PDB file of all heavy atoms in Angstrom:
ATOM      1  N   ASP B 391      -6.428  53.816  37.394  1.00  0.00           N
ATOM      2  CA  ASP B 391      -7.647  54.643  37.139  1.00  0.00           C
ATOM      3  C   ASP B 391      -7.317  55.905  36.373  1.00  0.00           C
ATOM      4  O   ASP B 391      -7.927  56.197  35.405  1.00  0.00           O
ATOM      5  CB  ASP B 391      -8.310  54.925  38.460  1.00  0.00           C
ATOM      6  CG  ASP B 391      -8.561  53.797  39.341  1.00  0.00           C
ATOM      7  OD1 ASP B 391      -8.533  52.592  38.790  1.00  0.00           O
ATOM      8  OD2 ASP B 391      -8.994  53.864  40.443  1.00  0.00           O
ATOM      9  N   TYR B 392      -6.345  56.657  36.834  1.00  0.00           N
ATOM     10  CA  TYR B 392      -5.909  57.933  36.178  1.00  0.00           C
ATOM     11  C   TYR B 392      -5.461  57.558  34.794  1.00  0.00           C
ATOM     12  O   TYR B 392      -5.671  58.345  33.877  1.00  0.00           O
ATOM     13  CB  TYR B 392      -4.760  58.506  36.892  1.00  0.00           C
ATOM     14  CG  TYR B 392      -5.115  59.382  38.165  1.00  0.00           C
ATOM     15  CD1 TYR B 392      -6.466  59.268  38.689  1.00  0.00           C
ATOM     16  CD2 TYR B 392      -4.227  60.274  38.668  1.00  0.00           C
ATOM     17  CE1 TYR B 392      -6.718  60.028  39.752  1.00  0.00           C
ATOM     18  CE2 TYR B 392      -4.572  60.982  39.771  1.00  0.00           C
ATOM     19  CZ  TYR B 392      -5.861  60.947  40.350  1.00  0.00           C
ATOM     20  OH  TYR B 392      -6.205  61.686  41.404  1.00  0.00           O
ATOM     21  N   MET B 393      -4.995  56.358  34.453  1.00  0.00           N
ATOM     22  CA  MET B 393      -4.367  55.978  33.186  1.00  0.00           C
ATOM     23  C   MET B 393      -5.529  55.439  32.320  1.00  0.00           C
ATOM     24  O   MET B 393      -5.213  55.022  31.160  1.00  0.00           O
ATOM     25  CB  MET B 393      -3.209  55.070  33.328  1.00  0.00           C
ATOM     26  CG  MET B 393      -1.980  55.613  34.095  1.00  0.00           C
ATOM     27  SD  MET B 393      -1.236  57.000  33.212  1.00  0.00           S
ATOM     28  CE  MET B 393      -0.408  56.157  31.906  1.00  0.00           C
ATOM     29  N   ARG B 394      -6.741  55.390  32.795  1.00  0.00           N
ATOM     30  CA  ARG B 394      -7.841  54.673  32.123  1.00  0.00           C
ATOM     31  C   ARG B 394      -7.589  53.287  31.846  1.00  0.00           C
ATOM     32  O   ARG B 394      -8.059  52.610  30.880  1.00  0.00           O
ATOM     33  CB  ARG B 394      -8.144  55.402  30.761  1.00  0.00           C
ATOM     34  CG  ARG B 394      -8.405  56.921  30.878  1.00  0.00           C
ATOM     35  CD  ARG B 394      -8.562  57.512  29.554  1.00  0.00           C
ATOM     36  NE  ARG B 394      -9.894  57.281  28.960  1.00  0.00           N
ATOM     37  CZ  ARG B 394     -10.017  56.836  27.734  1.00  0.00           C
ATOM     38  NH1 ARG B 394      -9.016  56.539  26.937  1.00  0.00           N
ATOM     39  NH2 ARG B 394     -11.254  56.589  27.245  1.00  0.00           N
ATOM     40  N   ARG B 395      -6.613  52.686  32.559  1.00  0.00           N
ATOM     41  CA  ARG B 395      -6.154  51.261  32.374  1.00  0.00           C
ATOM     42  C   ARG B 395      -6.903  50.482  33.365  1.00  0.00           C
ATOM     43  O   ARG B 395      -7.244  50.832  34.498  1.00  0.00           O
ATOM     44  CB  ARG B 395      -4.737  51.087  32.554  1.00  0.00           C
ATOM     45  CG  ARG B 395      -3.897  51.583  31.390  1.00  0.00           C
ATOM     46  CD  ARG B 395      -2.407  51.596  31.742  1.00  0.00           C
ATOM     47  NE  ARG B 395      -1.628  51.958  30.537  1.00  0.00           N
ATOM     48  CZ  ARG B 395      -0.310  52.323  30.615  1.00  0.00           C
ATOM     49  NH1 ARG B 395       0.219  52.295  31.710  1.00  0.00           N
ATOM     50  NH2 ARG B 395       0.260  52.653  29.484  1.00  0.00           N
ATOM     51  N   ARG B 396      -7.212  49.247  32.991  1.00  0.00           N
ATOM     52  CA  ARG B 396      -7.939  48.251  33.874  1.00  0.00           C
ATOM     53  C   ARG B 396      -6.997  47.872  35.052  1.00  0.00           C
ATOM     54  O   ARG B 396      -5.793  47.501  34.801  1.00  0.00           O
ATOM     55  CB  ARG B 396      -8.454  46.977  33.169  1.00  0.00           C
ATOM     56  CG  ARG B 396      -9.787  46.626  33.652  1.00  0.00           C
ATOM     57  CD  ARG B 396     -10.366  45.377  32.969  1.00  0.00           C
ATOM     58  NE  ARG B 396      -9.396  44.340  32.848  1.00  0.00           N
ATOM     59  CZ  ARG B 396      -9.141  43.640  31.755  1.00  0.00           C
ATOM     60  NH1 ARG B 396      -9.817  43.908  30.570  1.00  0.00           N
ATOM     61  NH2 ARG B 396      -8.282  42.612  31.727  1.00  0.00           N
ATOM     62  N   ARG B 397      -7.465  47.811  36.270  1.00  0.00           N
ATOM     63  CA  ARG B 397      -6.666  47.310  37.360  1.00  0.00           C
ATOM     64  C   ARG B 397      -6.339  45.809  37.202  1.00  0.00           C
ATOM     65  O   ARG B 397      -7.276  45.000  37.064  1.00  0.00           O
ATOM     66  CB  ARG B 397      -7.384  47.480  38.750  1.00  0.00           C
ATOM     67  CG  ARG B 397      -7.527  48.969  39.139  1.00  0.00           C
ATOM     68  CD  ARG B 397      -8.143  49.023  40.567  1.00  0.00           C
ATOM     69  NE  ARG B 397      -8.348  50.482  40.935  1.00  0.00           N
ATOM     70  CZ  ARG B 397      -8.609  50.847  42.164  1.00  0.00           C
ATOM     71  NH1 ARG B 397      -8.693  49.951  43.084  1.00  0.00           N
ATOM     72  NH2 ARG B 397      -8.798  52.053  42.503  1.00  0.00           N
ATOM     73  N   PRO B 398      -5.124  45.527  37.227  1.00  0.00           N
ATOM     74  CA  PRO B 398      -4.811  44.059  37.131  1.00  0.00           C
ATOM     75  C   PRO B 398      -5.121  43.322  38.407  1.00  0.00           C
ATOM     76  O   PRO B 398      -5.387  44.010  39.426  1.00  0.00           O
ATOM     77  CB  PRO B 398      -3.318  44.030  36.932  1.00  0.00           C
ATOM     78  CG  PRO B 398      -2.759  45.283  37.334  1.00  0.00           C
ATOM     79  CD  PRO B 398      -3.941  46.291  37.314  1.00  0.00           C
ATOM     80  N   LYS B 399      -5.016  41.992  38.392  1.00  0.00           N
ATOM     81  CA  LYS B 399      -5.254  41.355  39.720  1.00  0.00           C
ATOM     82  C   LYS B 399      -3.996  41.395  40.598  1.00  0.00           C
ATOM     83  O   LYS B 399      -2.768  41.554  40.118  1.00  0.00           O
ATOM     84  CB  LYS B 399      -5.408  39.828  39.458  1.00  0.00           C
ATOM     85  CG  LYS B 399      -6.779  39.495  38.840  1.00  0.00           C
ATOM     86  CD  LYS B 399      -6.997  37.969  38.784  1.00  0.00           C
ATOM     87  CE  LYS B 399      -8.384  37.667  38.165  1.00  0.00           C
ATOM     88  NZ  LYS B 399      -8.221  36.385  37.385  1.00  0.00           N
ATOM     89  N   PRO B 400      -4.299  41.687  41.850  1.00  0.00           N
ATOM     90  CA  PRO B 400      -3.171  41.657  42.847  1.00  0.00           C
ATOM     91  C   PRO B 400      -2.397  40.332  42.734  1.00  0.00           C
ATOM     92  O   PRO B 400      -2.953  39.359  42.431  1.00  0.00           O
ATOM     93  CB  PRO B 400      -3.849  41.875  44.226  1.00  0.00           C
ATOM     94  CG  PRO B 400      -5.249  41.626  44.029  1.00  0.00           C
ATOM     95  CD  PRO B 400      -5.573  41.849  42.647  1.00  0.00           C
ATOM     96  N   TRP B 401      -1.115  40.428  43.140  1.00  0.00           N
ATOM     97  CA  TRP B 401      -0.130  39.401  43.132  1.00  0.00           C
ATOM     98  C   TRP B 401       0.234  38.937  41.740  1.00  0.00           C
ATOM     99  O   TRP B 401       1.379  38.769  41.359  1.00  0.00           O
ATOM    100  CB  TRP B 401      -0.692  38.150  43.826  1.00  0.00           C
ATOM    101  CG  TRP B 401      -1.016  38.521  45.321  1.00  0.00           C
ATOM    102  CD1 TRP B 401      -2.298  38.537  45.846  1.00  0.00           C
ATOM    103  CD2 TRP B 401      -0.212  39.070  46.311  1.00  0.00           C
ATOM    104  NE1 TRP B 401      -2.301  39.066  47.031  1.00  0.00           N
ATOM    105  CE2 TRP B 401      -1.088  39.540  47.470  1.00  0.00           C
ATOM    106  CE3 TRP B 401       1.098  39.469  46.348  1.00  0.00           C
ATOM    107  CZ2 TRP B 401      -0.631  39.995  48.633  1.00  0.00           C
ATOM    108  CZ3 TRP B 401       1.611  39.928  47.509  1.00  0.00           C
ATOM    109  CH2 TRP B 401       0.723  40.373  48.631  1.00  0.00           C
ATOM    110  N   GLU B 402      -0.774  38.657  40.763  1.00  0.00           N
ATOM    111  CA  GLU B 402      -0.386  38.311  39.319  1.00  0.00           C
ATOM    112  C   GLU B 402       0.103  39.680  38.628  1.00  0.00           C
ATOM    113  O   GLU B 402       1.035  39.680  37.889  1.00  0.00           O
ATOM    114  CB  GLU B 402      -1.626  37.991  38.513  1.00  0.00           C
ATOM    115  CG  GLU B 402      -2.040  36.592  38.718  1.00  0.00           C
ATOM    116  CD  GLU B 402      -3.447  36.398  38.088  1.00  0.00           C
ATOM    117  OE1 GLU B 402      -3.725  36.996  37.115  1.00  0.00           O
ATOM    118  OE2 GLU B 402      -4.216  35.516  38.618  1.00  0.00           O
ATOM    119  N   GLY B 403      -0.539  40.837  39.142  1.00  0.00           N
ATOM    120  CA  GLY B 403       0.030  42.059  38.664  1.00  0.00           C
ATOM    121  C   GLY B 403       0.788  42.700  39.796  1.00  0.00           C
ATOM    122  O   GLY B 403       1.922  42.460  40.063  1.00  0.00           O
ATOM    123  N   PHE B 404       0.126  43.727  40.500  1.00  0.00           N
ATOM    124  CA  PHE B 404       0.734  44.573  41.387  1.00  0.00           C
ATOM    125  C   PHE B 404       0.827  43.855  42.800  1.00  0.00           C
ATOM    126  O   PHE B 404       0.120  42.868  43.024  1.00  0.00           O
ATOM    127  CB  PHE B 404       0.091  45.907  41.547  1.00  0.00           C
ATOM    128  CG  PHE B 404      -1.348  45.744  42.087  1.00  0.00           C
ATOM    129  CD1 PHE B 404      -1.499  45.715  43.390  1.00  0.00           C
ATOM    130  CD2 PHE B 404      -2.405  45.862  41.176  1.00  0.00           C
ATOM    131  CE1 PHE B 404      -3.012  45.725  43.820  1.00  0.00           C
ATOM    132  CE2 PHE B 404      -3.688  45.679  41.503  1.00  0.00           C
ATOM    133  CZ  PHE B 404      -3.953  45.650  42.936  1.00  0.00           C
ATOM    134  N   VAL B 405       1.686  44.344  43.609  1.00  0.00           N
ATOM    135  CA  VAL B 405       1.924  43.912  44.982  1.00  0.00           C
ATOM    136  C   VAL B 405       1.251  44.854  45.939  1.00  0.00           C
ATOM    137  O   VAL B 405       1.700  45.991  46.014  1.00  0.00           O
ATOM    138  CB  VAL B 405       3.359  43.728  45.336  1.00  0.00           C
ATOM    139  CG1 VAL B 405       3.638  43.421  46.703  1.00  0.00           C
ATOM    140  CG2 VAL B 405       4.099  42.683  44.403  1.00  0.00           C
ATOM    141  N   PRO B 406       0.235  44.488  46.608  1.00  0.00           N
ATOM    142  CA  PRO B 406      -0.270  45.405  47.635  1.00  0.00           C
ATOM    143  C   PRO B 406       0.352  45.289  49.023  1.00  0.00           C
ATOM    144  O   PRO B 406       0.620  44.201  49.473  1.00  0.00           O
ATOM    145  CB  PRO B 406      -1.830  44.901  47.763  1.00  0.00           C
ATOM    146  CG  PRO B 406      -1.771  43.560  47.308  1.00  0.00           C
ATOM    147  CD  PRO B 406      -0.534  43.195  46.527  1.00  0.00           C
ATOM    148  N   VAL B 407       0.585  46.526  49.633  1.00  0.00           N
ATOM    149  CA  VAL B 407       1.212  46.254  51.001  1.00  0.00           C
ATOM    150  C   VAL B 407       0.088  46.258  52.000  1.00  0.00           C
ATOM    151  O   VAL B 407      -1.003  46.795  51.796  1.00  0.00           O
ATOM    152  CB  VAL B 407       2.194  47.569  51.231  1.00  0.00           C
ATOM    153  CG1 VAL B 407       3.185  47.570  50.230  1.00  0.00           C
ATOM    154  CG2 VAL B 407       1.424  48.836  51.406  1.00  0.00           C
ATOM    155  N   MET B 408       0.386  45.561  53.194  1.00  0.00           N
ATOM    156  CA  MET B 408      -0.517  45.518  54.294  1.00  0.00           C
ATOM    157  C   MET B 408      -0.303  46.769  55.110  1.00  0.00           C
ATOM    158  O   MET B 408       0.783  47.353  55.157  1.00  0.00           O
ATOM    159  CB  MET B 408      -0.119  44.407  55.252  1.00  0.00           C
ATOM    160  CG  MET B 408      -0.508  43.031  54.649  1.00  0.00           C
ATOM    161  SD  MET B 408       0.234  41.602  55.626  1.00  0.00           S
ATOM    162  CE  MET B 408      -1.085  41.489  56.862  1.00  0.00           C
ATOM    163  N   HIS B 409      -1.377  47.300  55.705  1.00  0.00           N
ATOM    164  CA  HIS B 409      -1.340  48.462  56.495  1.00  0.00           C
ATOM    165  C   HIS B 409      -0.562  49.628  55.928  1.00  0.00           C
ATOM    166  O   HIS B 409       0.428  50.134  56.508  1.00  0.00           O
ATOM    167  CB  HIS B 409      -0.649  48.131  57.853  1.00  0.00           C
ATOM    168  CG  HIS B 409      -1.131  46.856  58.482  1.00  0.00           C
ATOM    169  ND1 HIS B 409      -2.426  46.577  58.809  1.00  0.00           N
ATOM    170  CD2 HIS B 409      -0.556  45.574  58.664  1.00  0.00           C
ATOM    171  CE1 HIS B 409      -2.540  45.317  59.237  1.00  0.00           C
ATOM    172  NE2 HIS B 409      -1.405  44.783  59.167  1.00  0.00           N
TER     173      HIS B 409
END
Side-chain angles (χ1 to χ4, degrees):
Chain B
D391 302 354
Y392 279 14
M393 297 296 285
R394 306 173 79 231
R395 287 171 172 168
R396 217 178 52 222
R397 290 188 183 192
K399 282 190 186 148
W401 308 113
E402 280 172 33
F404 62 85
V405 171
V407 302
M408 289 168 83
H409 318 294

